Amino acid sequence: MHWKKMSDWKRKLLAGAMAFALMASSLAVPDGTLSAVAEETTAGAVSEDTDTASADDQAVVERETGSSAEPSAVVENETGASSDAAAVTESETGASGQTSAGTDTQTDANTETDSNTDTSTSQSETTSGTQSETTASVSSSSNTQTNAAVAYTDADESEETEEATETEEITPVESDIAVDRVALPENFMEGVDISSYASLIDSGVTFYDFEGNELDEAGFFELLAECGVNYVRIRVWNDPYDAEGNSYGGGNCDTDTAIRIGQWATEAGLKVAIDFHYSDFWADPGKQYAPKAWADMTLEEKTEALETWTKESLSAILDAGVDVGMVQIGNETTTGIAGETDWSNMCRLFSAGSAAVRAVSAEYGQEILVALHFTNPESGKYETYAQILYQNGVDYDVFASSYYPY
């Protein structure tokens, strides 16, 4: 049975047996390394390790077809062709005969003692860049422990392939199936988060175009536009500095930095999405700390402070000529916002931020979308979140999401 075709519980059981066998075999090998070498022989040949062990430690392994070990060393590939050969286990580095530390090797051994014939094999599955499958069984009439190996690799999982290394030529054929190209609307957002750009260039980082030409700030954002980018997102923290004025890092993303980056983006014809974290540093599902200035506030005080700060910061950004098209009320607020974790309290803060954006949008006569931002769509909880927002009367335009597939 192929390892990948086994059910989950069988693989776990087999992995445990292999790990135990690997530990046991390593005790008989110098320096704790596992060396598996099978010498090419004729019928009745024996593959022996340099170390010997008692007959009690010898093992008999039956081939996956269910037949007992044959009295000859046979290596069968997936095509079914057999030949007398040496069974060699190769590690991920390509070295044969030895599995070194750091290489993922799985060994499967079924042990049995026979009074007349002592046979020992071990199976090892080693992952390599390309994979093919071989099996080996070794028989010995001596009382010397034998360490043979079976290397499983999966270059071509199809057992019907004549040669694992043979490349199948594909001939195009006409078909009635046609897939129309998806036409994206002109207002489709193709964006990047560029929040650390100013901090990087201030630190001496130089950017280049595809021809190796050095780019200044204008050239960098023009290159983004030429590559199809039409939106940039800029995160904003309330007060990302300690009492001595030292930045917490992460791009020094205060309102002034957002204005600086936003102006470069606007000059290149890009629209800007402002991402208010409502924190002095990163806000995400693992941490949603209130800004230092809001730490001791009641919910009512915090709600008022959030609305006021949003109005003032957004107005300053618009006054600087930044073309803001969307404002994000919080960042990855799945577990909270500005220190509030109760959904009722969170909705009050969402509504305060939304009201601030609506007021500024009306004052400046500029359409600005309001986005709420969550994460982990695979959790299946987005419908619940949307229902909570609806029940609490939260006003927003965009239900935004982060997604981390890794």
Side-chain angles (χ1 to χ4, degrees), residues 65-88:
T65 58
S67 60
S68 60
E70 300 294 337
S72 62
V74 180
V75 178
E76 296 185 2
N77 60 23
E78 291 183 350
T79 63
S82 64
S83 61
D84 293 341
V88 179

Side-chain angles (χ1 to χ4, degrees), residues 216-264:
D216 59 10
E217 293 84 355
F220 176 82
F221 284 89
E222 288 172 358
L223 178 62
L224 292 182
E226 292 171 2
C227 292
V229 173
N230 58 16
Y231 243 94
V232 295
R233 186 177 73 163
I234 306 171
R235 62 180 170 267
V236 179
W237 295 322
N238 289 43
D239 182 24
Y241 304 96
D242 62 18
E244 286 73 37
N246 300 308
S247 170
Y248 295 147
N252 308 329
C253 301
D254 57 11
T255 302
D256 290 339
T257 300
I259 290 173
R260 187 179 171 199
I261 298 175
Q263 288 174 331
W264 290 325

Side-chain angles (χ1 to χ4, degrees), residues 29-346:
V29 182
D31 298 329
T33 58
L34 176 64
S35 177
V37 180
E39 299 180 356
E40 182 177 358
T41 60
T42 58
V46 180
S47 172
E48 299 183 352
D49 193 285
T50 54
D51 291 333
T52 60
S54 65
D56 291 336
D57 292 329
Q58 299 175 353
V60 175
V61 175
E62 296 184 0
R63 294 168 50 188
E64 292 180 345
T65 58
S67 60
S68 60
E70 300 294 337
S72 62
V74 180
V75 178
E76 296 185 2
N77 60 23
E78 291 183 350
T79 63
S82 64
S83 61
D84 293 341
V88 179
T89 299
E90 295 187 2
S91 69
E92 291 182 3
T93 59
S96 63
Q98 182 175 6
T99 303
S100 60
T103 302
D104 292 335
T105 305
Q106 298 175 326
T107 307
D108 178 24
N110 297 321
T111 59
E112 180 179 326
T113 303
D114 189 282
S115 58
N116 298 319
T117 303
D118 294 325
T119 307
S120 173
T121 65
S122 65
Q123 298 185 1
S124 171
E125 176 168 337
T126 304
T127 302
S128 162
T130 58
Q131 305 177 335
S132 62
E133 178 177 310
T134 59
T135 60
S137 60
V138 182
S139 176
S140 172
S141 59
S142 69
N143 290 327
T144 305
Q145 180 179 3
T146 305
N147 288 324
V150 179
Y152 283 89
T153 53
D154 276 354
D156 184 356
E157 294 187 8
S158 173
E159 297 183 358
E160 299 177 1
T161 307
E162 290 186 3
E163 295 292 339
T165 57
E166 184 176 321
T167 302
E168 180 181 356
E169 183 177 353
I170 300 176
T171 303
V173 296
E174 293 186 4
S175 174
D176 295 332
I177 301 175
V179 178
D180 294 332
R181 181 176 181 178
V182 177
L184 299 177
E186 292 184 1
N187 63 347
F188 186 84
M189 295 180 183
E190 298 182 66
V192 295
D193 191 307
I194 204 70
S195 303
S196 296
Y197 176 74
S199 178
L200 290 171
I201 61 174
D202 289 346
S203 300
V205 174
T206 301
F207 291 89
Y208 301 87
D209 63 15
F210 297 111
E211 284 72 41
N213 301 310
E214 184 174 336
L215 297 172
D216 59 10
E217 293 84 355
F220 176 82
F221 284 89
E222 288 172 358
L223 178 62
L224 292 182
E226 292 171 2
C227 292
V229 173
N230 58 16
Y231 243 94
V232 295
R233 186 177 73 163
I234 306 171
R235 62 180 170 267
V236 179
W237 295 322
N238 289 43
D239 182 24
Y241 304 96
D242 62 18
E244 286 73 37
N246 300 308
S247 170
Y248 295 147
N252 308 329
C253 301
D254 57 11
T255 302
D256 290 339
T257 300
I259 290 173
R260 187 179 171 199
I261 298 175
Q263 288 174 331
W264 290 325
T266 299
E267 290 171 1
L270 308 178
K271 295 189 75 67
V272 174
I274 296 297
D275 176 12
F276 289 126
H277 282 221
Y278 300 112
S279 183
D280 290 336
F281 202 49
W282 292 103
D284 53 50
K287 51 188 179 297
Q288 289 285 344
Y289 304 129
K292 296 183 291 291
W294 304 356
D296 298 324
M297 290 183 177
T298 64
L299 178 61
E300 289 71 19
E301 293 171 336
K302 188 183 296 184
T303 301
E304 182 179 352
L306 186 147
E307 183 171 354
T308 300
W309 187 82
T310 302
K311 285 182 179 179
E312 293 176 349
S313 297
L314 182 56
S315 296
I317 293 171
L318 292 173
D319 287 340
V322 177
D323 186 10
V324 178
M326 183 166 64
V327 172
Q328 192 174 301
I329 309 300
N331 188 75
E332 296 184 345
T333 58
T334 304
T335 58
I337 178 173
E340 299 296 332
T341 57
D342 176 80
W343 272 98
S344 178
N345 295 347
M346 290 166 58

